[in-house]
Amino acid sequence: MNNQARPSRASQRPGKKKAGRGSVVKRVLLWILGLFVLAVVAGACVFFYYASSAPKISRSELASQTTTTIYDANNNVISRLGAQKREYASNSEIPSTLKNAVVAIEDRRFYKHHGVDPVRIMGAAVADITHRSSGMQGGSTLTQQLVKLSVFSTSDADRTLKRKAQEAWLAINVERHFSKSQILGFYINKVYMGNGVYGMKTAAQYYYGKDLNELSLAQLAMLAGIPQSPTYYNPTTGNTKYATQRRNQVLDAMVRSKYISQSQATAAKKVSIKDGLDPDHGNTSDNSVQVKEKVVDSYVKEVLSQLEAKGYNPYTDGLKVHTNLDLSAQKHLYNAANNSVAFQSDKMQTGVAVVDPNNGQIIAMLGGRKTGNVVYGLNRAVQTDRSSGSTVKPLMDYGPAIQYLKWPTYKSVEDTKFVYPGTNKVLHDFDNQYKGTMTMREALVQSRNVPAIRTLQTVGISRATKFLKGVGISQSKAYTLQNGIGIYVSPLQIAAAYAAFANGGTYYKPYYINSITTQDGNTITYSPSGKRAMSKATAYMITDMLKGVFTGQGSATKANLSGVYQAGKTGSTDYPTTSHPDGEMDSWMAGYTKNYSIAIWTGYDHPMQAGSGITKAYQNTAQLLYKNLMQYLDSKNHATNWSMPSTVEAVTVNGTRQLVIKDSKWALGVTSSSALSSSSSSSASSSSHSKSESSASDSSSESRPSSSSSSAASSSSESSSSASSAASSAPAASSSASQQQQPAQQPAATGQ
C-alpha cells in the first residue's frame, strides 16, 4: 500500500525532462527576441544618425525644375537639359484622371502611407523574387521619388544606405508639411517627360499641342506612363510598340484601382498611340543659352555619355556640370569648318579634336559639318573606323625606335624595295620610287613608307604595341607590319597621343568634365593624373623632326605658320584597289604646340560611293583647317619653343643639325663638328597624283659622320642618298593612287 502511494522514479523523470526542454526553448526565444530588439535599436540608431545629416528641402526645391546645366570652362552656359520652357500646372489645372493615372501606375497606396510604405517595399521584394509585376515596380513611394528628383542624384555611387535613409527621412518630413494633393502636384510638374521636357503640362503641349484638361483618357494615360523610361516610352519615335504597351499598362492599373471601368480601358486601348500628336510641339520654346546648340553638339553629346558612364542621369538629376570647353575656340572651329575653309562639297566631312597637352583637357571638338537639324548626331571626332595614314609613323615606328633602340635622328634607314614577309605584296610610296639610304629625319619629314615599315620591323611589333598603349591607343587584334603606315584610330586619340610629344612624354587621358555638382550641393572635381609614356629625349627628338614637316620637303607646308613653334604630321589613305579613281579616302593633319594638340580627319562617310574620293584640289583641306584653327589658338595663348632635355645632344652631321641621346652608343660615333658629306639631290618624277616635286638644299643626303669608335661608326654610318621633296606649292597629301593593296584588306596608307 505504501508502495502504491509513493511516486515512482520513473514517473518523476519524464516530468523533469519536460521542464528542461521548455526552459531551453524559452531561452532560445528570448535570445532571438533580444537580438531582434537589438537589431531594431541598432538600425534605428543608424537611421537617425544618417537622417541627422540629411540636406534641407524646401517648397522651392520641390517645385523647381530639375534641369541639368552644362557650362564651359569660363562658366558660360552651353546647354540645358530640359531646354523647353516649363509651364507650371496649378492644382486646378491637373485633371483628376491624370492624378489617378499617376497614382495607379506609380504608387497605388499613395493615399495610405506617410512617405515610406513598408507594404510597398515588401511587395516589390516579392515581385523581384518571383519575377512578377502588376504595374508597380520598386519600393520607392511617389514622395520618395519626388525627394530624389529634388535633392539627390541617381548616380550608382549615391545608392547607399546613408542616402536611402536620408531619402526616407525627407519623405516623411515632406508628408508632414504638405498635403497629398500638393505632393502629387509637385511630382507632376517636376518629372522628366523626354525630349528635354519637364512637367506634364509642358509635355501635353509638346506631344499634343493642348492643355492637360483637353486630353483624352488614352493621352493622359500615355503621359502618366512616360516618366519610368522617357526614351523607351516616347510616342513620337518610329517604333511605338513600347509606348503602346506602357499606356495600356497604365490603363490596366487604373482598372485595378477602380478609377475607370474595364470598358473605358478597352476603348482607350483601341486608340492609336499616334493619335493627336502635334509635330510642331505646341507652344513650347527653348530657354536661351549662350551658344547655338549646333556649335557645341558633339561636345555636349560626349559630356552626356560621360555623365551616364559615371552613373548619373543627366535628364533627371538636376546637375551643374562644368566642362573644359573653350567656347571661343569651339565657335571658331565651327565657323572655320562650316564657312571659312573650302571643302569639296557639303557631304565632305571632318572630325576635329583639340586637347591641352598639359592636362588632357578636351577644349574643343567638332563631330561633323553641314549637319542640318540633326542633334547629337555622329561624332566623327571619336569614331575609330578610318585609317590614320602616316600620322601613326611617329607613334608606332620612329617613337619606339628612339625610345627602345635609342636611334639618333641621323640614323640611316633604307628606302629600297620591300616585300611584306610571307606575301608577294610589294610596298610602294606615293611617287612609286625608292630613294636609297636616308636619315630617319629625312624619312619622317618626307613621309616615306618603306623606311617606316623597315623601322617597325627592327623595333618589333611587341615594343611598338607597348609604345602605342602608353599613349592611349590599342586594339583587340594584334598589329601587323602594315599598321606602321596606318591604324584605325580617332582624331581624339591622335590628338591625345601627340600631346605626349608636346609636353615632354607624359600621357593624359583626355577628359571633358571638370566638376559635377549635384542638387544636394556635393561637388566632385576631376583632374586625371598623367603617366609617363616615353622619355623626355624621345618626345623632344620626335618633336624636333616633326617641325620639319611644315617646311622644305615636309608634307604639311600648307599648314605652316610664321612665328608659331609647332610640330606635326600629315596622313592619307588611298583606295585598296585602282578601281576607284576619285582620289584619296582619308586625309589627316595632326600637329601641336606646347599649349594645344590638334588632330583633324577629312573624308566622306561613304567613301566607296561614286564621287566620294577626295580630289587633288581638296587634299589640303585638313591642313588648311588646322592652320586656321592653330593660328587662332596660338594668338590667344602663344607657345614658346621646346627646350632640349639634358639627356639629348645636338650634333652637326653633314652640315645638318641632328640629335643624339647622350648615353647611347650612337653618341660615341659622332662629334658636334662632323662635317664629312657627299650630298646629291635628284629631281623626283611626278607621282601618280601628278604631284610636283622640287629638291631642297637643306635636305641633302647624309654621309658617314667622323668617329673615334669603329663599331659605333659602323652602326651609325650614313650612306649617300638621294634627296626627295614634297610639294611646296601643289596640294599636298597623298601617296600614290597606284599603290598596291596591302596584305590585309584595308585602305592603303599613303606616304603623306
Side-chain angles (χ1 to χ4, degrees), residues 218-535:
Q219 293 167 336
L220 290 171
M222 183 69 260
L223 292 184
I226 288 177
Q228 187 186 74
S229 182
T231 300
Y232 280 111
Y233 302 144
N234 185 349
T236 63
T237 60
N239 185 0
T240 59
K241 173 184 175 182
Y242 299 111
T244 303
Q245 289 176 346
R246 180 61 174 173
R247 183 208 52 191
N248 294 345
Q249 189 180 44
V250 174
L251 292 168
D252 290 338
M254 294 180 74
V255 172
R256 286 192 298 271
S257 296
K258 300 184 181 336
Y259 290 127
I260 61 174
S261 66
Q262 185 61 62
S263 61
Q264 287 176 300
T266 301
K269 288 180 181 180
K270 293 179 180 179
V271 179
S272 169
I273 204 71
K274 293 283 189 179
D275 186 61
L277 292 177
D278 182 8
D280 297 323
H281 306 303
N283 63 6
T284 56
S285 61
D286 290 341
N287 288 332
S288 61
V289 294
Q290 290 165 272
V291 62
K292 291 182 179 179
E293 190 174 61
K294 289 183 183 179
V295 175
V296 296
D297 180 80
S298 57
Y299 198 101
V300 171
K301 179 184 179 182
E302 299 308 315
V303 169
L304 298 181
S305 177
Q306 290 296 303
L307 288 171
E308 291 173 346
K310 296 178 185 298
Y312 297 100
N313 185 334
Y315 301 100
T316 61
D317 287 353
L319 309 170
K320 296 183 185 298
V321 184
H322 286 85
T323 72
N324 300 314
L325 179 73
D326 182 331
L327 184 56
S328 64
Q330 183 69 26
K331 288 180 178 179
H332 187 92
L333 171 59
Y334 180 88
N335 290 328
N338 284 278
N339 302 308
S340 304
V341 177
F343 280 71
Q344 189 168 313
S345 70
D346 286 353
K347 291 184 177 181
M348 185 179 177
Q349 280 296 343
T350 187
V352 184
V354 186
V355 172
D356 186 334
N358 303 300
N359 49 35
Q361 294 180 351
I362 304 169
I363 66 171
M365 174 176 285
L366 190 67
R369 57 183 295 276
K370 305 294 184 180
T371 56
N373 295 321
V374 175
V375 179
Y376 303 152
L378 178 65
N379 186 358
R380 297 162 186 83
V382 298
Q383 299 299 310
T384 58
D385 58 349
R386 305 305 285 262
S387 176
S388 67
S390 294
T391 59
V392 77
K393 290 175 180 176
L395 300 168
M396 193 170 185
D397 308 330
Y398 300 113
I402 299 173
Q403 180 71 18
Y404 303 119
L405 306 180
K406 297 188 176 182
W407 279 14
T409 59
Y410 60 82
K411 171 69 173 68
S412 63
V413 291
E414 299 295 324
D415 188 9
T416 56
K417 184 178 180 180
F418 182 86
V419 181
Y420 283 103
T423 76
N424 60 354
K425 301 296 183 181
V426 179
L427 175 61
H428 293 282
D429 242 302
F430 64 93
D431 55 4
N432 284 322
Q433 294 185 21
Y434 300 112
K435 300 297 184 178
T437 305
M438 60 178 54
T439 65
M440 178 171 65
R441 181 186 293 274
E442 289 175 317
L444 179 55
V445 168
Q446 299 174 27
S447 201
R448 307 295 297 179
N449 283 343
V450 174
I453 296 300
R454 289 190 183 278
T455 298
L456 174 58
Q457 194 174 39
T458 304
V459 168
I461 295 296
S462 62
R463 283 187 288 203
T465 301
K466 179 181 178 182
F467 192 91
L468 284 173
K469 188 176 181 180
V471 293
I473 298 173
S474 63
Q475 64 179 37
S476 57
K477 192 170 75 173
Y479 291 107
T480 64
L481 278 181
Q482 79 162 5
N483 289 128
I485 54 175
I487 60 174
Y488 289 97
V489 70
S490 70
L492 179 59
Q493 287 176 303
I494 290 291
Y498 274 40
F501 293 138
N503 66 35
T506 299
Y507 173 75
Y508 292 92
K509 185 177 180 179
Y511 68 108
Y512 304 86
I513 299 172
N514 183 273
S515 69
I516 299 172
T517 302
T518 58
Q519 291 187 90
D520 58 349
N522 183 39
T523 299
I524 303 172
T525 301
Y526 300 91
S527 183
S529 58
K531 295 182 179 180
R532 173 91 24 208
M534 69 192 79
S535 67

Side-chain angles (χ1 to χ4, degrees), residues 107-138:
D107 187 2
R108 66 181 61 180
R109 287 177 46 83
F110 175 68
Y111 295 105
K112 298 179 181 180
H113 62 68
H114 300 286
V116 178
D117 187 3
V119 175
R120 180 181 172 89
I121 295 172
M122 294 298 297
V126 172
D128 288 340
I129 294 172
T130 60
H131 303 288
R132 296 174 60 190
S133 170
S134 57
M136 180 184 69
Q137 301 181 32

Side-chain angles (χ1 to χ4, degrees), residues 62-74:
L62 293 171
S64 64
Q65 184 176 355
T66 53
T67 302
T68 289
T69 305
I70 302 176
Y71 304 85
D72 75 346
N74 294 315

Side-chain angles (χ1 to χ4, degrees), residues 125-190:
V126 172
D128 288 340
I129 294 172
T130 60
H131 303 288
R132 296 174 60 190
S133 170
S134 57
M136 180 184 69
Q137 301 181 32
S140 295
T141 64
L142 264 175
T143 313
Q144 287 176 282
Q145 294 180 52
L146 175 62
V147 168
K148 185 183 295 184
L149 291 172
S150 301
V151 296
F152 295 128
S153 79
T154 58
S155 169
D156 292 336
D158 289 336
R159 296 175 185 176
T160 61
L161 179 61
K162 177 181 179 179
R163 185 56 52 87
K164 295 300 291 185
Q166 292 177 338
E167 181 186 296
W169 176 254
L170 289 176
I172 293 170
N173 277 276
V174 167
E175 293 265 356
R176 289 175 56 200
H177 291 89
F178 299 96
S179 68
K180 290 289 187 179
S181 181
Q182 288 175 308
I183 293 170
L184 190 55
F186 290 145
Y187 177 86
I188 287 173
N189 279 289
K190 178 179 284 289

Side-chain angles (χ1 to χ4, degrees), residues 4 13 38 62-63 115 154 175 186 205 411 437-438 498 550 575 582 651 666 701 724:
Q4 290 177 352
R13 286 173 186 155
L38 184 63
L62 293 171
T154 58
E175 293 265 356
F186 290 145
Q205 279 292 333
K411 171 69 173 68
T437 305
M438 60 178 54
Y498 274 40
F550 294 93
Y575 287 91
D582 294 326
V651 297
W666 308 99
S701 61
S724 65

